Amino acid sequence: MTNTTLTAVPGFLVGHWTDTVARTGCTVLLCPPDGAVASASFLGPSPGTREGVLLAPDKKVERVHAVLLTGGSAFGLGAASGVVRWLEEQGVGHPTPFARVPLVPAAVIYDLGVGNPRARPLEEHGYLAASTASSAPVPRGRVGAGTGATAGKYLGPAHTSPGGLGSAFVSRHGVSVGAVAVVNPIGDVLDGAGRVIAGPGSGPGATAFTPGDVESTTLVAVVTQHLLGKPEAKRLADAAQTALARVIRPSHTAWDGDSAFMLSSGTLPPADPMLLSALVQDAVAAAVTDAVLPHAT
C-alpha cells in the first residue's frame, strides 16, 4: 500500500501513545539522528509550548531531534522529558562538552474536558511513543495527540464534533513534503470543496457564541528533505499557519493557540521556494481534513 502520510518523507518516524479510556495521548515525530533544521510559528493568545523560543531564527541552535505533539494541556508537556530520555539512550543529541543534549520542542492541546481530566500524557508515555516510532504509514484519527481533540466548539460542548490527528504527503516536480496535524479548533473543519465536515456549520453566522477560554488549538508539524536555513523554515512555518484558514472556519481566533513546526533534514538540495511553500500549504490543508475523516485505528 502506498504511504500517503508524513513518514513517506525518508528519515522521519512517527509514534503514538494513546489512552482510549481517558481519551488523551501524545505523538512523537523523530528526526534523523543528526537532527533537522527547524523553526516554528505560534499564533493565538494561548499556545502551550516547550522549547518554542529556541526555534526563532535568531537563536543559535539550528537542529532539533524530535517534536512532541500532546494532549493534557500544560501537564502533557512533561511527556517531552520521556522523549529526551529515549533519545539520550540512543546517543542522539546536541553535542556539548559533557553530554549530548536532545532537543525536543513540544506543543499541546487542551483535552481535559473530553475524558478523564486527571489522566495526562506523562514522561513514560513520551518515552513509549518515541520507542515505537516507525516509518510505517501514520495511524490517524482518534489516536495519539488527537485522541481527545474536538472541533466546532463555538456553540459550546453540546455541539462539538470529534477532531483527531491527520497526516498527508504531497509531491510535485520532484519536491516532497509531509505533514501531521492535531485538529482541535474552535472553528468548523471544511473539505477541499468548502463543505463542513466537522462542527455545527454555523461558523461566523452563529447568533450566539459560548466558547471555552483555553480549549482550542491546532498543532501542525511539516517535514521535507530539501535543504532549508532557519529563516526559510520560519517562513514556511508561517505558510503552514495560513493554510489552516483554508480548512478551518473561523481560524486563528482569540480562543485558538495554534502551533506550526517546519523541519528539514537537508539531505536534498534546496527546492524552488514558491513550489515548496505551495506544497507545505497543500500538505497542511490535507492533513487537517484527514484528521476528521473516519479511520480504522
Side-chain angles (χ1 to χ4, degrees), residues 65-172:
H65 304 96
V67 170
L68 172 75
L69 308 177
T70 182
S73 189
F75 303 105
L77 292 172
S81 295
V83 184
V84 170
R85 178 162 60 89
W86 187 85
L87 287 167
E88 183 185 28
E89 292 175 0
Q90 315 310 308
V92 172
H94 178 70
T96 74
F98 300 103
R100 285 189 170 271
V101 180
L103 300 175
V104 182
V108 66
I109 67 167
Y110 185 99
D111 57 3
L112 301 182
V114 176
N116 179 356
R118 303 296 297 176
R120 303 94 179 232
L122 303 174
E123 178 176 343
E124 59 263 35
H125 304 136
Y127 185 98
L128 286 171
S131 66
T132 59
S134 78
S135 61
V138 178
R140 292 112 67 214
R142 306 282 278 175
V143 296
T147 304
T150 51
K153 290 176 270 198
Y154 50 88
L155 296 183
H159 300 278
T160 62
S161 297
L165 181 143
S167 190
F169 170 81
V170 295
S171 182
R172 289 199 294 273

Side-chain angles (χ1 to χ4, degrees), residues 37-39 57 62 226-239 262 264 270-271 273 276-277 280:
V37 172
S39 192
E62 288 198 341
H226 296 279
L227 182 66
L228 297 173
K230 283 185 81 175
E232 291 82 9
K234 175 60 167 66
R235 285 193 288 271
L236 290 171
D238 290 339
M262 183 72 213
S264 163
L276 195 55
S277 181
V280 165

